[in-house]
């Protein structure tokens, strides 16, 4: 099985990460990927090349300020988590709704308008996953 980048649609044969759109719980808190709860937010794989297309100023590197801003805001919250790296190597798994990475604390927050502008196909994939998941629960 090959993995394609959601942005450029090419097979990924090098480094990549996952861009998640976090959902909110009933108490409005953000729901991060959670292996123990078997929860995977809607996501798309993004190759390293496409990730680097995003300007650095659009990426709020895993800071407490970026997290606090995202948690209290009303806009969609996008976070990126590398699927490999020297600092924090991650394992991955494949499920019906996508590929998920686990054990990551180093989320990079990404401004929603940047995702829309630079990675529009990724947003379409994530929207499709969300619609698919909702139709599964309504069936």
């Amino acid at each position: 099985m090959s993995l394609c980048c959601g942005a450029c649609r090419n097979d990924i044969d090098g480094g990549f990460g996952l861009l998640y759109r976090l959902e909110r719980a009933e108490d409005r808190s953000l729901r991060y990927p959670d292996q123990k709860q078997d929860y995977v937010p809607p996501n798309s794989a993004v190759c390293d090349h496409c990730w680097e297309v995003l300007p650095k100023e659009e990426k709020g590197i895993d800071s407490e300020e970026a997290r606090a801003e995202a948690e209290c805001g009303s806009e969609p919250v996008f976070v990126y988590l590398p699927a490999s790296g020297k600092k924090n190597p991650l394992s991955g798994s494949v499920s019906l709704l996508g590929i998920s990475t686990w054990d990551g604390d180093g989320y990079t927050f990404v401004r929603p308008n940047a995702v829309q502008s630079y990675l529009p196909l990724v947003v379409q994939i994530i929207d499709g996953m969300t619609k698919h998941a909702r139709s599964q629960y309504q069936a």
Side-chain angles (χ1 to χ4, degrees):
M1 182 171 104
S2 64
L3 175 64
C4 292
C5 173
C8 67
R9 308 291 181 159
N10 293 323
D11 284 343
I12 295 174
D13 58 1
F16 74 99
L18 294 173
L19 188 69
Y20 294 98
R21 183 173 63 205
L22 302 183
E23 298 173 318
R24 294 194 184 270
E26 287 183 22
D27 66 358
R28 302 283 302 143
S29 64
L30 293 175
R31 295 184 66 202
Y32 291 87
D34 186 341
Q35 185 177 21
K36 292 176 185 165
Q37 299 293 320
D38 197 25
Y39 171 70
V40 181
N43 63 79
S44 175
V46 178
C47 69
D48 285 351
H49 173 76
C50 290
W51 174 244
E52 292 305 319
V53 167
L54 280 163
K56 288 182 182 181
E57 61 271 9
E58 300 294 344
K59 303 171 188 176
I61 307 299
D62 62 345
S63 69
E64 289 300 316
E65 182 180 322
R67 183 182 295 258
E69 182 181 317
E71 287 179 350
C72 67
S74 60
E75 290 189 275
V77 177
F78 289 93
V79 295
Y80 175 83
L81 190 60
S84 61
K86 293 177 185 169
K87 180 179 175 188
N88 186 14
L90 304 172
S91 60
S93 69
V94 178
S95 72
L96 177 64
L97 294 179
I99 295 171
S100 56
T101 55
W102 312 116
D103 303 327
D105 253 346
Y107 294 105
T108 299
F109 289 83
V110 186
R111 290 190 177 94
N113 59 347
V115 176
Q116 292 281 354
S117 297
Y118 292 95
L119 305 172
L121 297 175
V122 169
V123 176
Q124 289 178 11
I125 290 169
I126 291 172
D127 285 345
M129 290 179 73
T130 304
K131 288 176 188 171
H132 176 74
R134 285 186 185 138
S135 68
Q136 291 290 321
Y137 292 119
Q138 293 173 354

